[in-house]
Amino acid sequence: QVQLVESGGGLVQAGGSLRLSCAVSGTIFSINTMGWYRQAPGKQRELVATITSGGSTNYADSVKGRFTISRDKNTVYLQMNSLKSEDTAVYYCAADRIPRRYWGQGTQVTVSS
């Protein structure tokens, strides 16, 4: 099993910054891709950013140039700058350990305009 615990969400004004963290524990060997997803009210969950064990990153077009994903041994981060009201959502951390994707419980990010 893999456990993921997110932290760092909160309320921020438009143009501000937040840093999300995701602590990974459990059977973490063979975890390849980790990522952040988000779900706004009434919308489907969508990809925000992913990072592989080799450090390759991928971003949604809507966050390119504003968000940065990074990882160290057991933690994945999402640095969010120049936040917009449309970034408001519950942000979920995910870890892929074939054949499963594990999810955290989510952390709320609210951007006020």
mmCIF file of all heavy atoms in Angstrom, residues 49-94:
data_model
loop_
_atom_site.group_PDB
_atom_site.id
_atom_site.type_symbol
_atom_site.label_atom_id
_atom_site.label_comp_id
_atom_site.label_asym_id
_atom_site.label_seq_id
_atom_site.Cartn_x
_atom_site.Cartn_y
_atom_site.Cartn_z
ATOM 1 N N ALA A 49 -0.074 18.642 -13.152
ATOM 2 C CA ALA A 49 1.337 18.426 -13.476
ATOM 3 C C ALA A 49 1.745 17.035 -13.031
ATOM 4 O O ALA A 49 1.198 16.504 -12.060
ATOM 5 C CB ALA A 49 2.217 19.469 -12.793
ATOM 6 N N THR A 50 2.699 16.458 -13.753
ATOM 7 C CA THR A 50 3.265 15.169 -13.366
ATOM 8 C C THR A 50 4.780 15.225 -13.433
ATOM 9 O O THR A 50 5.360 16.062 -14.140
ATOM 10 C CB THR A 50 2.777 14.019 -14.264
ATOM 11 O OG1 THR A 50 3.174 14.273 -15.615
ATOM 12 C CG2 THR A 50 1.267 13.842 -14.178
ATOM 13 N N ILE A 51 5.414 14.314 -12.701
ATOM 14 C CA ILE A 51 6.868 14.203 -12.724
ATOM 15 C C ILE A 51 7.220 12.730 -12.592
ATOM 16 O O ILE A 51 6.660 12.012 -11.755
ATOM 17 C CB ILE A 51 7.516 15.056 -11.608
ATOM 18 C CG1 ILE A 51 9.043 14.997 -11.715
ATOM 19 C CG2 ILE A 51 7.026 14.638 -10.229
ATOM 20 C CD1 ILE A 51 9.735 16.049 -10.851
ATOM 21 N N THR A 52 8.133 12.268 -13.435
ATOM 22 C CA THR A 52 8.545 10.872 -13.390
ATOM 23 C C THR A 52 9.699 10.694 -12.410
ATOM 24 O O THR A 52 10.283 11.671 -11.928
ATOM 25 C CB THR A 52 8.993 10.392 -14.773
ATOM 26 O OG1 THR A 52 10.215 11.064 -15.123
ATOM 27 C CG2 THR A 52 7.925 10.665 -15.821
ATOM 28 N N SER A 53 10.048 9.447 -12.161
ATOM 29 C CA SER A 53 11.167 9.161 -11.268
ATOM 30 C C SER A 53 12.472 9.696 -11.845
ATOM 31 O O SER A 53 13.412 9.986 -11.099
ATOM 32 C CB SER A 53 11.273 7.658 -11.013
ATOM 33 O OG SER A 53 11.410 6.965 -12.233
ATOM 34 N N GLY A 54 12.515 9.867 -13.164
ATOM 35 C CA GLY A 54 13.703 10.422 -13.800
ATOM 36 C C GLY A 54 13.728 11.930 -13.858
ATOM 37 O O GLY A 54 14.698 12.527 -14.334
ATOM 38 N N GLY A 55 12.636 12.556 -13.390
ATOM 39 C CA GLY A 55 12.590 14.009 -13.344
ATOM 40 C C GLY A 55 11.907 14.680 -14.514
ATOM 41 O O GLY A 55 11.842 15.916 -14.567
ATOM 42 N N SER A 56 11.372 13.914 -15.453
ATOM 43 C CA SER A 56 10.654 14.517 -16.577
ATOM 44 C C SER A 56 9.312 15.055 -16.093
ATOM 45 O O SER A 56 8.615 14.390 -15.325
ATOM 46 C CB SER A 56 10.429 13.488 -17.680
ATOM 47 O OG SER A 56 11.654 13.050 -18.202
ATOM 48 N N THR A 57 8.982 16.243 -16.552
ATOM 49 C CA THR A 57 7.753 16.895 -16.096
ATOM 50 C C THR A 57 6.781 17.144 -17.242
ATOM 51 O O THR A 57 7.180 17.224 -18.416
ATOM 52 C CB THR A 57 8.064 18.229 -15.414
ATOM 53 O OG1 THR A 57 8.768 19.073 -16.334
ATOM 54 C CG2 THR A 57 8.918 18.029 -14.176
ATOM 55 N N ASN A 58 5.522 17.265 -16.864
ATOM 56 C CA ASN A 58 4.469 17.558 -17.826
ATOM 57 C C ASN A 58 3.456 18.459 -17.123
ATOM 58 O O ASN A 58 3.141 18.232 -15.942
ATOM 59 C CB ASN A 58 3.795 16.257 -18.279
ATOM 60 C CG ASN A 58 2.685 16.500 -19.277
ATOM 61 O OD1 ASN A 58 2.876 17.172 -20.280
ATOM 62 N ND2 ASN A 58 1.495 15.977 -18.997
ATOM 63 N N TYR A 59 2.976 19.478 -17.842
ATOM 64 C CA TYR A 59 2.056 20.446 -17.245
ATOM 65 C C TYR A 59 0.827 20.641 -18.124
ATOM 66 O O TYR A 59 0.907 20.586 -19.344
ATOM 67 C CB TYR A 59 2.737 21.806 -17.075
ATOM 68 C CG TYR A 59 3.879 21.812 -16.104
ATOM 69 C CD1 TYR A 59 5.178 21.601 -16.533
ATOM 70 C CD2 TYR A 59 3.662 22.051 -14.747
ATOM 71 C CE1 TYR A 59 6.239 21.608 -15.642
ATOM 72 C CE2 TYR A 59 4.715 22.071 -13.849
ATOM 73 C CZ TYR A 59 6.000 21.842 -14.303
ATOM 74 O OH TYR A 59 7.043 21.855 -13.412
ATOM 75 N N ALA A 60 -0.284 20.921 -17.476
ATOM 76 C CA ALA A 60 -1.460 21.365 -18.215
ATOM 77 C C ALA A 60 -1.155 22.731 -18.806
ATOM 78 O O ALA A 60 -0.429 23.536 -18.204
ATOM 79 C CB ALA A 60 -2.663 21.442 -17.289
ATOM 80 N N ASP A 61 -1.706 23.008 -19.974
ATOM 81 C CA ASP A 61 -1.448 24.290 -20.621
ATOM 82 C C ASP A 61 -1.853 25.456 -19.730
ATOM 83 O O ASP A 61 -1.210 26.514 -19.745
ATOM 84 C CB ASP A 61 -2.212 24.366 -21.949
ATOM 85 C CG ASP A 61 -1.615 23.474 -23.020
ATOM 86 O OD1 ASP A 61 -0.452 23.041 -22.870
ATOM 87 O OD2 ASP A 61 -2.311 23.182 -24.009
ATOM 88 N N SER A 62 -2.890 25.279 -18.954
ATOM 89 C CA SER A 62 -3.420 26.369 -18.142
ATOM 90 C C SER A 62 -2.487 26.787 -17.007
ATOM 91 O O SER A 62 -2.658 27.873 -16.436
ATOM 92 C CB SER A 62 -4.780 25.973 -17.560
ATOM 93 O OG SER A 62 -4.657 24.812 -16.754
ATOM 94 N N VAL A 63 -1.513 25.946 -16.670
ATOM 95 C CA VAL A 63 -0.612 26.278 -15.547
ATOM 96 C C VAL A 63 0.835 26.441 -15.975
ATOM 97 O O VAL A 63 1.685 26.794 -15.151
ATOM 98 C CB VAL A 63 -0.705 25.225 -14.421
ATOM 99 C CG1 VAL A 63 -2.149 25.034 -13.979
ATOM 100 C CG2 VAL A 63 -0.074 23.902 -14.842
ATOM 101 N N LYS A 64 1.135 26.197 -17.239
ATOM 102 C CA LYS A 64 2.521 26.317 -17.704
ATOM 103 C C LYS A 64 3.045 27.722 -17.457
ATOM 104 O O LYS A 64 2.355 28.713 -17.715
ATOM 105 C CB LYS A 64 2.598 25.992 -19.200
ATOM 106 C CG LYS A 64 2.557 24.510 -19.508
ATOM 107 C CD LYS A 64 2.658 24.255 -21.009
ATOM 108 C CE LYS A 64 2.600 22.770 -21.313
ATOM 109 N NZ LYS A 64 2.620 22.499 -22.769
ATOM 110 N N GLY A 65 4.257 27.788 -16.930
ATOM 111 C CA GLY A 65 4.873 29.076 -16.643
ATOM 112 C C GLY A 65 4.504 29.649 -15.292
ATOM 113 O O GLY A 65 5.108 30.622 -14.841
ATOM 114 N N ARG A 66 3.509 29.043 -14.636
ATOM 115 C CA ARG A 66 3.084 29.544 -13.316
ATOM 116 C C ARG A 66 3.317 28.506 -12.215
ATOM 117 O O ARG A 66 3.625 28.867 -11.075
ATOM 118 C CB ARG A 66 1.597 29.908 -13.337
ATOM 119 C CG ARG A 66 1.237 30.981 -14.341
ATOM 120 C CD ARG A 66 -0.222 31.434 -14.178
ATOM 121 N NE ARG A 66 -1.172 30.363 -14.414
ATOM 122 C CZ ARG A 66 -2.070 29.949 -13.517
ATOM 123 N NH1 ARG A 66 -2.125 30.508 -12.319
ATOM 124 N NH2 ARG A 66 -2.912 28.957 -13.819
ATOM 125 N N PHE A 67 3.147 27.235 -12.536
ATOM 126 C CA PHE A 67 3.300 26.161 -11.553
ATOM 127 C C PHE A 67 4.577 25.371 -11.833
ATOM 128 O O PHE A 67 4.969 25.202 -12.990
ATOM 129 C CB PHE A 67 2.116 25.204 -11.615
ATOM 130 C CG PHE A 67 0.805 25.769 -11.133
ATOM 131 C CD1 PHE A 67 0.633 27.118 -10.891
ATOM 132 C CD2 PHE A 67 -0.271 24.917 -10.920
ATOM 133 C CE1 PHE A 67 -0.581 27.629 -10.462
ATOM 134 C CE2 PHE A 67 -1.496 25.408 -10.494
ATOM 135 C CZ PHE A 67 -1.643 26.767 -10.265
ATOM 136 N N THR A 68 5.186 24.868 -10.763
ATOM 137 C CA THR A 68 6.362 24.029 -10.895
ATOM 138 C C THR A 68 6.228 22.815 -9.992
ATOM 139 O O THR A 68 5.991 22.960 -8.789
ATOM 140 C CB THR A 68 7.639 24.790 -10.521
ATOM 141 O OG1 THR A 68 7.765 25.952 -11.345
ATOM 142 C CG2 THR A 68 8.869 23.911 -10.729
ATOM 143 N N ILE A 69 6.380 21.635 -10.578
ATOM 144 C CA ILE A 69 6.338 20.397 -9.803
ATOM 145 C C ILE A 69 7.764 19.916 -9.561
ATOM 146 O O ILE A 69 8.629 20.065 -10.429
ATOM 147 C CB ILE A 69 5.502 19.320 -10.526
ATOM 148 C CG1 ILE A 69 5.284 18.099 -9.619
ATOM 149 C CG2 ILE A 69 6.133 18.905 -11.855
ATOM 150 C CD1 ILE A 69 4.280 17.097 -10.165
ATOM 151 N N SER A 70 8.000 19.381 -8.369
ATOM 152 C CA SER A 70 9.311 18.840 -8.052
ATOM 153 C C SER A 70 9.135 17.700 -7.055
ATOM 154 O O SER A 70 8.071 17.542 -6.465
ATOM 155 C CB SER A 70 10.237 19.922 -7.486
ATOM 156 O OG SER A 70 9.701 20.450 -6.278
ATOM 157 N N ARG A 71 10.189 16.905 -6.909
ATOM 158 C CA ARG A 71 10.102 15.801 -5.951
ATOM 159 C C ARG A 71 11.474 15.529 -5.354
ATOM 160 O O ARG A 71 12.506 15.720 -6.001
ATOM 161 C CB ARG A 71 9.535 14.541 -6.605
ATOM 162 C CG ARG A 71 10.404 13.922 -7.667
ATOM 163 C CD ARG A 71 9.638 12.849 -8.466
ATOM 164 N NE ARG A 71 9.549 11.577 -7.763
ATOM 165 C CZ ARG A 71 8.989 10.483 -8.273
ATOM 166 N NH1 ARG A 71 8.447 10.525 -9.490
ATOM 167 N NH2 ARG A 71 8.930 9.350 -7.579
ATOM 168 N N ASP A 72 11.468 15.120 -4.113
ATOM 169 C CA ASP A 72 12.681 14.556 -3.540
ATOM 170 C C ASP A 72 12.339 13.132 -3.142
ATOM 171 O O ASP A 72 11.407 12.551 -3.681
ATOM 172 C CB ASP A 72 13.214 15.410 -2.394
ATOM 173 C CG ASP A 72 12.247 15.507 -1.218
ATOM 174 O OD1 ASP A 72 11.329 14.669 -1.109
ATOM 175 O OD2 ASP A 72 12.400 16.432 -0.425
ATOM 176 N N LYS A 73 13.039 12.561 -2.231
ATOM 177 C CA LYS A 73 12.900 11.127 -1.982
ATOM 178 C C LYS A 73 11.453 10.705 -1.720
ATOM 179 O O LYS A 73 10.928 9.801 -2.375
ATOM 180 C CB LYS A 73 13.782 10.720 -0.810
ATOM 181 C CG LYS A 73 13.801 9.208 -0.558
ATOM 182 C CD LYS A 73 14.745 8.869 0.569
ATOM 183 C CE LYS A 73 14.740 7.372 0.853
ATOM 184 N NZ LYS A 73 15.643 7.045 1.987
ATOM 185 N N ASN A 74 10.815 11.330 -0.764
ATOM 186 C CA ASN A 74 9.480 10.885 -0.351
ATOM 187 C C ASN A 74 8.434 11.978 -0.371
ATOM 188 O O ASN A 74 7.372 11.829 0.233
ATOM 189 C CB ASN A 74 9.541 10.299 1.066
ATOM 190 C CG ASN A 74 10.373 9.046 1.141
ATOM 191 O OD1 ASN A 74 10.407 8.285 0.189
ATOM 192 N ND2 ASN A 74 11.065 8.847 2.242
ATOM 193 N N THR A 75 8.723 13.069 -1.042
ATOM 194 C CA THR A 75 7.793 14.191 -1.059
ATOM 195 C C THR A 75 7.713 14.780 -2.464
ATOM 196 O O THR A 75 8.726 14.899 -3.146
ATOM 197 C CB THR A 75 8.218 15.282 -0.066
ATOM 198 O OG1 THR A 75 8.401 14.705 1.230
ATOM 199 C CG2 THR A 75 7.155 16.372 0.037
ATOM 200 N N VAL A 76 6.506 15.142 -2.845
ATOM 201 C CA VAL A 76 6.284 15.834 -4.105
ATOM 202 C C VAL A 76 5.721 17.213 -3.793
ATOM 203 O O VAL A 76 4.865 17.345 -2.911
ATOM 204 C CB VAL A 76 5.305 15.060 -4.999
ATOM 205 C CG1 VAL A 76 5.055 15.802 -6.306
ATOM 206 C CG2 VAL A 76 5.847 13.686 -5.304
ATOM 207 N N TYR A 77 6.194 18.205 -4.515
ATOM 208 C CA TYR A 77 5.792 19.583 -4.270
ATOM 209 C C TYR A 77 5.125 20.167 -5.514
ATOM 210 O O TYR A 77 5.415 19.763 -6.639
ATOM 211 C CB TYR A 77 7.005 20.439 -3.907
ATOM 212 C CG TYR A 77 7.791 19.938 -2.729
ATOM 213 C CD1 TYR A 77 8.914 19.139 -2.915
ATOM 214 C CD2 TYR A 77 7.417 20.259 -1.430
ATOM 215 C CE1 TYR A 77 9.647 18.679 -1.833
ATOM 216 C CE2 TYR A 77 8.152 19.802 -0.335
ATOM 217 C CZ TYR A 77 9.264 19.012 -0.544
ATOM 218 O OH TYR A 77 9.968 18.556 0.527
ATOM 219 N N LEU A 78 4.283 21.141 -5.274
ATOM 220 C CA LEU A 78 3.720 21.936 -6.359
ATOM 221 C C LEU A 78 3.802 23.393 -5.939
ATOM 222 O O LEU A 78 3.078 23.834 -5.043
ATOM 223 C CB LEU A 78 2.274 21.544 -6.660
ATOM 224 C CG LEU A 78 1.665 22.241 -7.876
ATOM 225 C CD1 LEU A 78 2.341 21.765 -9.170
ATOM 226 C CD2 LEU A 78 0.154 21.986 -7.960
ATOM 227 N N GLN A 79 4.720 24.118 -6.556
ATOM 228 C CA GLN A 79 4.838 25.555 -6.316
ATOM 229 C C GLN A 79 3.905 26.258 -7.284
ATOM 230 O O GLN A 79 4.031 26.099 -8.506
ATOM 231 C CB GLN A 79 6.283 26.009 -6.540
ATOM 232 C CG GLN A 79 6.482 27.504 -6.369
ATOM 233 C CD GLN A 79 6.267 27.968 -4.952
ATOM 234 O OE1 GLN A 79 6.696 27.318 -4.002
ATOM 235 N NE2 GLN A 79 5.569 29.086 -4.787
ATOM 236 N N MET A 80 2.987 27.031 -6.738
ATOM 237 C CA MET A 80 1.974 27.706 -7.547
ATOM 238 C C MET A 80 2.148 29.213 -7.402
ATOM 239 O O MET A 80 1.998 29.747 -6.295
ATOM 240 C CB MET A 80 0.574 27.281 -7.118
ATOM 241 C CG MET A 80 0.358 25.772 -7.119
ATOM 242 S SD MET A 80 -1.343 25.304 -6.763
ATOM 243 C CE MET A 80 -1.473 25.831 -5.055
ATOM 244 N N ASN A 81 2.473 29.866 -8.488
ATOM 245 C CA ASN A 81 2.661 31.319 -8.507
ATOM 246 C C ASN A 81 1.612 31.963 -9.409
ATOM 247 O O ASN A 81 0.988 31.303 -10.239
ATOM 248 C CB ASN A 81 4.055 31.671 -9.004
ATOM 249 C CG ASN A 81 5.149 31.120 -8.116
ATOM 250 O OD1 ASN A 81 4.993 31.020 -6.896
ATOM 251 N ND2 ASN A 81 6.279 30.769 -8.712
ATOM 252 N N SER A 82 1.452 33.258 -9.260
ATOM 253 C CA SER A 82 0.505 34.026 -10.093
ATOM 254 C C SER A 82 -0.863 33.355 -10.127
ATOM 255 O O SER A 82 -1.456 33.157 -11.201
ATOM 256 C CB SER A 82 1.060 34.170 -11.517
ATOM 257 O OG SER A 82 2.311 34.808 -11.503
ATOM 258 N N LEU A 83 -1.354 33.012 -8.966
ATOM 259 C CA LEU A 83 -2.615 32.267 -8.885
ATOM 260 C C LEU A 83 -3.779 33.100 -9.388
ATOM 261 O O LEU A 83 -3.827 34.331 -9.206
ATOM 262 C CB LEU A 83 -2.855 31.803 -7.452
ATOM 263 C CG LEU A 83 -2.025 30.581 -7.039
ATOM 264 C CD1 LEU A 83 -1.944 30.463 -5.526
ATOM 265 C CD2 LEU A 83 -2.597 29.317 -7.650
ATOM 266 N N LYS A 84 -4.725 32.403 -10.027
ATOM 267 C CA LYS A 84 -5.919 33.012 -10.578
ATOM 268 C C LYS A 84 -7.148 32.403 -9.912
ATOM 269 O O LYS A 84 -7.087 31.290 -9.366
ATOM 270 C CB LYS A 84 -5.980 32.767 -12.088
ATOM 271 C CG LYS A 84 -4.750 33.214 -12.849
ATOM 272 C CD LYS A 84 -4.863 32.817 -14.321
ATOM 273 C CE LYS A 84 -3.620 33.224 -15.095
ATOM 274 N NZ LYS A 84 -3.719 32.827 -16.535
ATOM 275 N N SER A 85 -8.265 33.087 -10.018
ATOM 276 C CA SER A 85 -9.491 32.569 -9.408
ATOM 277 C C SER A 85 -9.863 31.214 -9.987
ATOM 278 O O SER A 85 -10.406 30.353 -9.289
ATOM 279 C CB SER A 85 -10.639 33.563 -9.595
ATOM 280 O OG SER A 85 -10.832 33.846 -10.975
ATOM 281 N N GLU A 86 -9.541 31.009 -11.260
ATOM 282 C CA GLU A 86 -9.872 29.732 -11.888
ATOM 283 C C GLU A 86 -8.989 28.576 -11.408
ATOM 284 O O GLU A 86 -9.215 27.426 -11.780
ATOM 285 C CB GLU A 86 -9.807 29.828 -13.413
ATOM 286 C CG GLU A 86 -8.534 30.423 -13.961
ATOM 287 C CD GLU A 86 -8.675 31.900 -14.289
ATOM 288 O OE1 GLU A 86 -9.252 32.646 -13.447
ATOM 289 O OE2 GLU A 86 -8.200 32.308 -15.359
ATOM 290 N N ASP A 87 -7.993 28.864 -10.588
ATOM 291 C CA ASP A 87 -7.186 27.797 -9.981
ATOM 292 C C ASP A 87 -7.853 27.230 -8.731
ATOM 293 O O ASP A 87 -7.366 26.254 -8.151
ATOM 294 C CB ASP A 87 -5.795 28.315 -9.624
ATOM 295 C CG ASP A 87 -4.981 28.712 -10.836
ATOM 296 O OD1 ASP A 87 -5.018 27.984 -11.847
ATOM 297 O OD2 ASP A 87 -4.300 29.750 -10.777
ATOM 298 N N THR A 88 -8.946 27.844 -8.305
ATOM 299 C CA THR A 88 -9.659 27.362 -7.130
ATOM 300 C C THR A 88 -10.168 25.943 -7.363
ATOM 301 O O THR A 88 -10.863 25.674 -8.343
ATOM 302 C CB THR A 88 -10.838 28.295 -6.799
ATOM 303 O OG1 THR A 88 -10.331 29.568 -6.420
ATOM 304 C CG2 THR A 88 -11.680 27.726 -5.668
ATOM 305 N N ALA A 89 -9.799 25.034 -6.465
ATOM 306 C CA ALA A 89 -10.180 23.634 -6.610
ATOM 307 C C ALA A 89 -9.643 22.849 -5.411
ATOM 308 O O ALA A 89 -8.865 23.384 -4.617
ATOM 309 C CB ALA A 89 -9.592 23.042 -7.895
ATOM 310 N N VAL A 90 -10.061 21.597 -5.337
ATOM 311 C CA VAL A 90 -9.406 20.657 -4.428
ATOM 312 C C VAL A 90 -8.261 20.021 -5.210
ATOM 313 O O VAL A 90 -8.476 19.510 -6.323
ATOM 314 C CB VAL A 90 -10.375 19.586 -3.915
ATOM 315 C CG1 VAL A 90 -9.628 18.578 -3.027
ATOM 316 C CG2 VAL A 90 -11.518 20.232 -3.144
ATOM 317 N N TYR A 91 -7.083 20.066 -4.653
ATOM 318 C CA TYR A 91 -5.898 19.531 -5.311
ATOM 319 C C TYR A 91 -5.548 18.169 -4.697
ATOM 320 O O TYR A 91 -5.452 18.043 -3.472
ATOM 321 C CB TYR A 91 -4.720 20.500 -5.162
ATOM 322 C CG TYR A 91 -4.832 21.671 -6.101
ATOM 323 C CD1 TYR A 91 -5.808 22.648 -5.909
ATOM 324 C CD2 TYR A 91 -3.980 21.814 -7.191
ATOM 325 C CE1 TYR A 91 -5.939 23.721 -6.772
ATOM 326 C CE2 TYR A 91 -4.099 22.887 -8.062
ATOM 327 C CZ TYR A 91 -5.080 23.830 -7.843
ATOM 328 O OH TYR A 91 -5.202 24.890 -8.711
ATOM 329 N N TYR A 92 -5.347 17.198 -5.575
ATOM 330 C CA TYR A 92 -5.057 15.833 -5.159
ATOM 331 C C TYR A 92 -3.677 15.406 -5.639
ATOM 332 O O TYR A 92 -3.307 15.651 -6.794
ATOM 333 C CB TYR A 92 -6.083 14.858 -5.741
ATOM 334 C CG TYR A 92 -7.493 15.066 -5.275
ATOM 335 C CD1 TYR A 92 -8.360 15.891 -5.979
ATOM 336 C CD2 TYR A 92 -7.973 14.423 -4.138
ATOM 337 C CE1 TYR A 92 -9.670 16.080 -5.561
ATOM 338 C CE2 TYR A 92 -9.283 14.605 -3.711
ATOM 339 C CZ TYR A 92 -10.117 15.441 -4.424
ATOM 340 O OH TYR A 92 -11.418 15.626 -4.006
ATOM 341 N N CYS A 93 -2.962 14.758 -4.768
ATOM 342 C CA CYS A 93 -1.686 14.141 -5.115
ATOM 343 C C CYS A 93 -1.959 12.710 -5.574
ATOM 344 O O CYS A 93 -2.859 12.041 -5.031
ATOM 345 C CB CYS A 93 -0.791 14.148 -3.887
ATOM 346 S SG CYS A 93 0.822 13.383 -4.113
ATOM 347 N N ALA A 94 -1.189 12.239 -6.553
ATOM 348 C CA ALA A 94 -1.356 10.886 -7.065
ATOM 349 C C ALA A 94 -0.004 10.241 -7.282
ATOM 350 O O ALA A 94 0.969 10.922 -7.619
ATOM 351 C CB ALA A 94 -2.139 10.902 -8.369
#
